[in-house]
Amino acid sequence: MRLARLFRKHLEYQIHLIDRNSYHTLKTQLHEAAVRKAEVSIPVKRIIKRRNVIFHIGEVTKIDPIERIIYMENESLSFRHLVIALGSQVNFYGIPGLQEYSFPLQTLRDAQQIYTYITQLCARAATEPIEGQRKDMLRFVIGGGGLTGVEFAAELVDYTAQCAHNHHVNSREVEVVIIESGNRVVPQMEESFATRIQNKLLGKGVIIVTNTKIVNLAPDAVTLSSGEVLKTKALIWTGGIRINDLARESGLKTGQVGRIIVDKYLRVEGYPFMYAIGDNALAMNPDTGKPVPATAQFALQQGWLVANNIYADIFGIVREPYQPKVLGEVVSLGRHLAIGWLALPLLKKITFVGFLGSLLKTAIQEKHIFLLRRESRNWITY
Ligand SMILES: Cc1cc2nc3c(=O)[nH]c(=O)nc-3n(C[C@H](O)[C@H](O)[C@H](O)COP(=O)(O)OP(=O)(O)OC[C@H]3O[C@@H](n4cnc5c(N)ncnc54)[C@H](O)[C@@H]3O)c2cc1C
């Protein structure tokens, strides 16, 4: 949308947008859609309405950086500049049974599948007369205590409590367990925040098992690195991401989990007319020398910068290097609870806990929708 805005008076340039889906997913809200009816997608056509953007629904299968051609199943396009923003996919790390029997949470379809499955499981458990078996059916295991895992666990506790109430099941028979390989949940956050999040989750009744890995998954049980076997029919896997192999297979240089190596302008190494952004890019923070995490706030900033840089490339203006801005972090822990902080000038932080935090999270999500709407100008209804 930023490119379309910059080129609105240069209609001799064509902007092509390719996605395998006809809709844009509000991925940061997927954990909500996995437990209740939540609007987490917007038709792309509605976003780009009356904009100089040609939309193709298709699966990108290959990029030829030498001939400058991008291939889809039934179509190919030649390009002058290319922006690779294919996001990430689930990493099962080759753990036996995980891909076959777990439920990932990466796409809208994943969220819908989880919602349908746990709703049915809850209803089925209510008709199970043997207490032990009923409890096994009501044990929900979440593999990975990162951002997605803890946000989903908190939503799940609220949802299963409601479900148990609706089906007249004792809510004490429901268990939500997080298995985390590190020594605390949300290891990417500061320890004081992680401790607060952990305490809130414990307060909601979530069981947290740290320093433990999942080593095997069968249809009705998960084996842990401690040797313990937990009976479960629902393991939701939020333990890691990786990047589609197509970048590497197309000859692009990749690093950690397959992210594409980029320079300080986010150009793909060796190909100055191609950029990578979002989860795809192994973008470095020049202040820390470390890769920028795969999160939405950085993806959005990178999209904005790269649109400006392509405009600069074409019109001979000076390109800007990438400088990530950490605006804050907010973790939602159910419908009306969130913990987070926002950056203030002079390196100060303001902390939000509880209902105020959840208002802040909602405001951030609404801001994204608002910015899309502003960029598209003609997008009236949502
Ligand atoms: C459940 C969940 C909760 C999250 N919560 C937060 C949060 O609270 N805060 C935060 O900052 N980040 C969060 N994240 C991470 C954040 O969503 C991602 O970092 C961000 O969406 C990355 O943006 P992107 O544009 O790189 O990729 P995406 O948003 O994943 O977009 C990639 C697009 O490419 C399309 N695509 C992929 N492969 C192909 C192909 N081969 N051909 C055609 N199209 C393709 C997809 O359909 C998709 O539309 C969360 C992620 C998940 C899964």
Side-chain angles (χ1 to χ4, degrees), residues 31 33-36 103 111-125 137-141 152 155-157 159-160 163 167 233-236:
H31 58 282
V35 294
R36 65 180 120 95
F103 290 85
Q112 287 165 340
Q113 270 178 358
I114 292 173
Y115 178 73
T116 308
Y117 182 74
I118 59 177
T119 304
Q120 286 170 354
L121 193 58
C122 206
R124 262 176 44 219
M137 289 171 90
L138 291 171
R139 183 172 300 109
F140 300 88
V141 180
F152 177 68
E155 290 282 354
L156 188 60
V157 168
Y159 175 74
T160 48
C163 204
H167 292 287
K233 291 186 187 305
L235 187 132
I236 292 86

Side-chain angles (χ1 to χ4, degrees), residues 19-21 27 58-60 86-87 105 148 278-279 294-296 361:
D19 202 292
R20 57 157 73 114
N21 296 316
K27 242 178 149 180
E59 178 84 21
V60 176
L86 297 170
L105 182 52
T148 306
D279 290 1
T295 62
K361 178 94 180 176

Side-chain angles (χ1 to χ4, degrees), residues 18-21 23-31 58-61 72 84-89 105-107 147-148 151-152 238 241 244 246 277-281 293-300 302 330-332 361 365:
I18 306 171
D19 202 292
R20 57 157 73 114
N21 296 316
Y23 50 83
H24 167 64
T25 307
L26 302 170
K27 242 178 149 180
T28 60
Q29 286 168 260
L30 276 182
H31 58 282
E59 178 84 21
V60 176
T61 52
M72 292 159 262
I84 307 171
L86 297 170
S88 45
Q89 53 193 53
L105 182 52
Q106 269 291 323
T107 65
L147 200 60
T148 306
E151 288 194 326
F152 177 68
T238 62
I241 56 162
N244 194 323
L246 87 84
I277 55 173
D279 290 1
N280 273 184
T295 62
Q297 63 172 316
F298 298 121
L300 291 169
Q302 292 169 8
V330 190
V331 180
S332 67
K361 178 94 180 176
Q365 286 158 354

Side-chain angles (χ1 to χ4, degrees), residues 36-52:
R36 65 180 120 95
K37 296 251 177 285
E39 285 286 331
V40 294
S41 69
I42 308 168
V44 173
K45 282 251 158 93
R46 197 176 290 177
I47 300 173
I48 62 172
K49 205 169 154 194
R50 275 177 261 161
R51 280 301 214 169
N52 175 25

